[in-house]
Amino acid sequence: MLSSQLSIIKPLVNTEQYRQIENYFNSLTPTSIITVSSFMAENKLNNQTAQNILKELVKDHLLKFCFGIRCPECGLLLISKEDISSIEKTIYCYHCEDTFDISPEDVDVVYAFENYPFVSGQQTNPIFEPERSAVPQRDTLAGLLASGTLDMCSRFYSPTDSEYQELEHL
């Protein structure tokens, strides 16, 4: 089932990379959080290719684009939100047992499954290992915006064809 959903990325990678990406997704759980940097490292991809692949998987509704909030003190990923406006200004870290103010450096760009491709029992690898830290420093929203590799305009306003036509008549 996953192979058919991943087939949209075949034009973006070679055969070996495609197999490696397929194995990577087979190893994930329904609650896995994916960052561009972890996806790059696990699949030996460059930043642009990794972002293009993740963007295609979002378009195809396998993944969804989210914002991960991590503790500014210990770096623990506390929560992920789909809507940036729903992020609270303060957050409680259950690891540090303290409340912190959230800054743009504490907001990371992450991806989560929108439609997990397996039903219970279909996982090919029944051994679930604990995930590595899902949010390295270079995935912060502020960092990706500064690098120019993240297109936020489409996140805030992505007009439909009918909206474009309405705008043209103004």
Side-chain angles (χ1 to χ4, degrees):
M1 181 174 194
L2 183 62
S3 293
S4 63
Q5 289 177 302
L6 285 179
S7 64
I8 62 164
I9 67 164
K10 276 188 177 180
L12 303 174
V13 293
N14 63 41
T15 305
E16 179 61 32
Q17 289 171 321
Y18 179 80
R19 284 191 193 120
Q20 194 164 5
I21 292 167
E22 189 174 37
N23 289 336
Y24 171 78
F25 277 104
N26 282 332
S27 72
L28 299 177
T29 65
T31 58
S32 292
I33 299 294
I34 302 165
T35 63
V36 175
S37 58
S38 66
F39 186 69
M40 281 174 30
E42 291 289 327
N43 296 293
K44 298 176 181 76
L45 301 167
N46 65 45
N47 187 27
Q48 192 62 48
T49 303
Q51 286 201 21
N52 287 341
I53 290 169
L54 293 171
K55 186 190 296 184
E56 285 298 314
L57 295 175
V58 168
K59 273 195 236 177
D60 200 45
H61 303 285
L62 179 64
L63 299 177
K64 60 185 173 184
F65 183 90
C66 301
F67 300 95
I69 315 305
R70 68 180 156 77
C71 174
E73 190 67 30
C74 70
L76 179 67
L77 182 64
L78 299 170
I79 193 166
S80 66
K81 302 269 188 170
E82 288 183 56
D83 184 11
I84 197 166
S85 64
S86 67
I87 296 173
E88 302 288 330
K89 293 185 189 238
T90 60
I91 195 159
Y92 179 78
C93 177
Y94 51 87
H95 182 260
C96 296
E97 296 182 350
D98 202 357
T99 301
F100 297 97
D101 291 331
I102 299 300
S103 71
E105 287 78 28
D106 305 319
V107 180
D108 295 316
V109 175
V110 298
Y111 296 85
F113 282 105
E114 183 174 336
N115 292 306
Y116 187 66
F118 300 103
V119 293
S120 181
Q122 281 188 310
Q123 280 283 28
T124 57
N125 183 4
I127 300 170
F128 288 76
E129 296 181 23
E131 293 185 47
R132 296 184 192 134
S133 176
V135 215
Q137 184 66 24
R138 65 179 176 210
D139 289 319
T140 64
L141 178 60
L144 287 174
L145 287 174
S147 72
T149 58
L150 183 65
D151 175 24
M152 285 302 293
C153 293
S154 63
R155 296 297 302 161
F156 291 111
Y157 184 67
S158 184
T160 62
D161 289 340
S162 62
E163 288 173 324
Y164 271 121
Q165 289 173 353
E166 187 177 317
L167 286 172
E168 288 176 357
H169 292 317
L170 294 177

